[in-house]
């Protein structure tokens, strides 16, 4: 998903890494300065939840610690590593919500807002003008829209990552004289070259089905173009269209039993982080791993601390297809408040600040959308990812994040790898589910 599902208007992004203060004529206090130790909430305790673990949790904990040092508000972080959306929904239903949470998708955002389960940002001291100015100028329109429902802002977009990065070990590529490709035929040729050398081309953590949705989206955007992508992930999408079947076929042709570590059965039983270990663990069994920019921080922070960025771990851009140009997909996460307990407003204001962004990016797991975060704030391991976003010809938000909650595209793609002959029926069934979800 971002490992979650959320909506944003389809826009081309150019992430500006040098901060330019955006004009703000609002009388509302700027989010970056309002969460201060003089706010009268020192000693309060709030609970924040997401599914981040490992290096991602460590990077986020640094943000929480900085907030506590600034305000005196203690933060209890509750990670939920499995069935996050179910656990969050159950807590809300039982009237025991966390104070602040990652929202697991636009369907949930809409539903929670409709049922008055979320606190509007305006009630927390963040009006629309302040929120707009909180983001980097080139991301401001997307940032303000991403957490809005029917024109009311409920959530802050707190982080981004590229979803167009293929990770590999440069030292092993050099030793085997393998060259990183720039187009799809080159990627297929490299896969065959690695296999011919007696090695396994791909690690794949497909038990976390969202990893397969990212494969599909990257292929579909490049193979079918942005107009088709925009339509597919809207209410007008046709999941039985041949363009969908073509993208799935390209996945099936590349991710075969012979091309993935453990075969398809093994890949479908391998979790996301374990898949990273197939390529970057101490005893690697595969040569490439496709996933977002966050892989670098997880690999170096959790999987193998001996990795050296640029030497034993790096990425190349997901390649062009049919001259598509440098198109990329992007994922991101939003946070919303579910209570107005003491400290919650100050925390949400802090999240919507360059001050928080500067702390967060040092953990090497995110790109911050916040105004005031500059290129010099990023560690070496994420500078390249940010540069990729800057230089992209066009970007689209993670497509499955644009779908309403309920229908599981990842499950459809898991079935497609297991049973290629059943794709047509799976897509027909999925279309029915998506139509029903949009209507509700």
């Amino acid at each position: 998903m971002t490992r979650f599902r959320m909506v944003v208007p389809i826009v081309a992004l150019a992430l500006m890494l040098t901060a330019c203060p955006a004009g703000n004529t609002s009388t509302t206090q700027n989010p970056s300065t309002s969460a201060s130790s003089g706010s009268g909430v020192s000693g309060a305790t709030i609970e924040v939840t997401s599914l981040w673990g490992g290096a991602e949790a460590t990077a986020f904990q640094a943000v929480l610690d900085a907030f506590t040092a600034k305000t005196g508000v203690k933060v209890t972080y509750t990670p939920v590593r499995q069935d996050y959306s179910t656990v969050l929904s159950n807590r809300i239903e039982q009237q025991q919500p966390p104070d602040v949470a990652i929202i697991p998708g636009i369907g949930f955002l809409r539903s929670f807002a409709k049922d008055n389960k979320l606190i509007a940002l305006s009630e927390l001291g963040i009006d629309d003008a302040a929120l707009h100015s909180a983001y980097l100028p080139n991301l401001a329109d997307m940032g303000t829209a991403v957490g809005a429902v029917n024109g009311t802002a409920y959530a802050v977009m707190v982080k981004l990552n590229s979803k167009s990065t293929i990770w590999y070990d440069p030292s092993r590529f050099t030793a085997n004289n393998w060259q990183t490709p720039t187009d799809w035929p080159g990627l297929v040729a490299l896969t065959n070259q690695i296999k011919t050398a007696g090695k396994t081309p791909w690690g794949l953590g497909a038990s976390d089905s969202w990893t397969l949705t990212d494969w599909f989206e990257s292929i579909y955007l490049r193979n079918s173009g942005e107009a088709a992508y925009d339509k597919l992930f809207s209410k007008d999408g046709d999941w039985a269209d041949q363009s969908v079947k073509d993208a799935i076929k390209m996945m099936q042709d590349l991710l075969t039993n012979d091309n993935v570590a453990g075969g398809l059965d093994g890949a479908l039983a391998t979790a996301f982080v374990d898949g990273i270990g197939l390529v970057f663990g101490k005893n690697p069994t595969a040569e490439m791993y496709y996933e977002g920019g966050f892989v670098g921080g997880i690999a170096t922070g959790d999987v193998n601390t001996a990795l050296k960025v640029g030497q034993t771990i790096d990425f190349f851009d997901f390649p062009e297809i049919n001259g598509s140009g440098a198109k990329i997909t992007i994922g991101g996460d939003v946070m919303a408040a579910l209570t107005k307990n003491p400290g919650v407003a100050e925390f949400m204001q802090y999240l919507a600040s360059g001050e928080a962004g500067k702390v967060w990016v040092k953990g090497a797991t995110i790109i911050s959308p916040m105004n005031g975060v500059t290129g010099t704030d990023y560690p070496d391991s994420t500078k390249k990812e940010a540069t990729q976003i800057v230089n992209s010809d066009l970007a689209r938000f993670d497509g499955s994040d644009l779908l309403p909650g309920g229908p599981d595209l990842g499950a459809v793609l898991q079935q497609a790898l297991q049973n290629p002959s059943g794709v047509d029926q799976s897509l027909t069934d999925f279309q029915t589910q998506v139509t029903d979800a949009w209507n509700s």
Side-chain angles (χ1 to χ4, degrees):
M1 329 175 170
T2 41
R3 295 182 309 267
F4 307 117
R5 304 298 173 216
M6 63 187 157
V7 74
V8 42
I10 303 299
V11 294
L13 304 181
L15 179 60
M16 182 177 294
L17 293 182
T18 17
C20 298
N24 180 8
T25 59
S26 169
T27 57
T28 299
Q29 192 172 17
N30 188 296
S32 65
T33 60
S34 57
S36 67
S37 57
S39 59
V41 294
S42 181
T45 298
I46 63 173
E47 182 191 9
V48 179
T49 186
S50 82
L51 62 57
W52 299 322
E56 290 181 298
T58 300
F60 185 50
Q61 187 63 52
V63 178
L64 305 182
D65 292 344
F67 171 71
T68 298
K70 181 181 180 69
T71 64
V73 177
K74 298 178 182 178
V75 182
T76 299
Y77 175 54
T78 305
V80 180
R81 300 293 285 157
Q82 299 291 332
D83 299 321
Y84 175 77
S85 60
T86 300
V87 172
L88 179 61
S89 296
N90 287 343
R91 288 193 58 179
I92 293 172
E93 182 66 25
Q94 295 163 8
Q95 298 184 3
Q96 296 178 332
D99 294 294
V100 177
I102 287 289
I103 301 302
I106 182 55
F108 289 97
L109 184 68
R110 289 172 175 162
S111 178
F112 293 161
K114 177 183 177 182
D115 293 339
N116 296 316
K117 303 300 184 182
L118 302 180
I119 309 300
L121 294 181
S122 60
E123 296 182 44
L124 302 172
I126 306 174
D127 69 11
D128 289 347
L131 182 62
H132 195 273
S133 68
Y135 296 112
L136 288 164
N138 283 20
L139 299 178
D141 290 341
M142 182 183 75
T144 52
V146 69
V149 179
N150 295 329
T152 298
Y154 289 97
V156 176
M157 183 178 67
V158 292
K159 71 185 189 74
L160 296 174
N161 279 109
S162 168
K163 289 293 190 78
S164 295
T165 51
I166 296 179
W167 294 85
Y168 71 107
D169 181 337
S171 68
R172 302 206 302 258
F173 268 50
T174 298
N176 288 279
N177 198 30
W178 298 329
Q179 304 297 317
T180 58
T182 59
D183 57 22
W184 186 260
L187 185 64
V188 172
L190 173 61
T191 298
N192 292 333
Q193 186 180 13
I194 293 172
K195 186 167 56 177
T196 299
K199 302 181 184 298
T200 304
W202 293 99
L204 183 63
S207 71
D208 290 317
S209 65
W210 59 267
T211 62
L212 295 179
T213 70
D214 289 343
W215 269 102
F216 172 81
E217 291 149 9
S218 285
I219 292 172
Y220 192 87
L221 175 63
R222 292 162 176 80
N223 196 52
S224 298
E226 56 268 29
Y229 186 95
D230 295 350
K231 181 179 178 180
L232 182 64
F233 293 105
S234 75
K235 293 182 70 172
D236 299 324
D238 178 6
W239 287 91
D241 190 78
Q242 186 60 44
S243 63
V244 176
K245 298 173 185 178
D246 290 344
I248 292 176
K249 183 63 164 59
M250 292 174 73
M251 288 180 62
Q252 293 169 326
D253 289 345
L254 189 72
L255 303 176
T256 66
N257 265 316
D258 293 338
N259 287 345
V260 301
L264 288 176
D265 287 343
L268 290 165
T270 300
F272 161 63
V273 175
D274 293 334
I276 297 174
L278 294 172
V279 178
F280 296 108
K282 294 181 180 179
N283 298 295
T285 58
E287 302 300 330
M288 294 180 289
Y289 194 80
Y290 163 66
E291 247 315 317
F294 41 79
V295 165
I298 295 171
T300 57
D302 298 334
V303 174
N304 185 352
T305 57
L307 293 169
K308 302 294 183 184
V309 175
Q311 300 177 32
T312 55
I313 181 170
D314 203 347
F315 73 82
F316 58 88
D317 295 354
F318 198 99
E320 297 183 17
I321 299 176
N322 299 326
S324 59
K327 292 181 171 66
I328 65 172
T329 51
I330 285 177
D333 293 337
V334 297
M335 276 192 140
L338 292 98
T339 79
K340 291 196 284 186
N341 288 334
V344 171
E346 288 78 8
F347 183 70
M348 293 300 293
Q349 292 164 5
Y350 184 70
L351 285 179
S353 73
E355 182 179 355
K358 284 174 178 286
V359 174
W360 207 336
V361 300
K362 293 185 186 301
T365 61
I366 75 159
I367 303 298
S368 174
M370 295 304 167
N371 207 344
V373 183
T374 71
T376 58
D377 294 314
Y378 287 88
D380 290 342
S381 59
T382 49
K383 277 186 170 70
K384 183 177 178 181
E385 179 189 359
T387 300
Q388 182 205 52
I389 296 172
V390 171
N391 293 336
S392 65
D393 295 334
L394 174 139
R396 287 293 188 264
F397 210 84
D398 184 300
S400 52
D401 285 353
L402 302 174
L403 295 174
D408 189 348
L409 176 59
V412 173
L413 297 172
Q414 287 175 327
Q415 293 168 11
L417 292 183
Q418 290 175 309
N419 179 25
S421 64
V423 168
D424 286 1
Q425 186 60 52
S426 292
L427 291 174
T428 297
D429 294 343
F430 185 66
Q431 178 67 63
T432 300
Q433 296 167 18
V434 171
T435 299
D436 290 345
W438 278 117
N439 290 338
S440 63

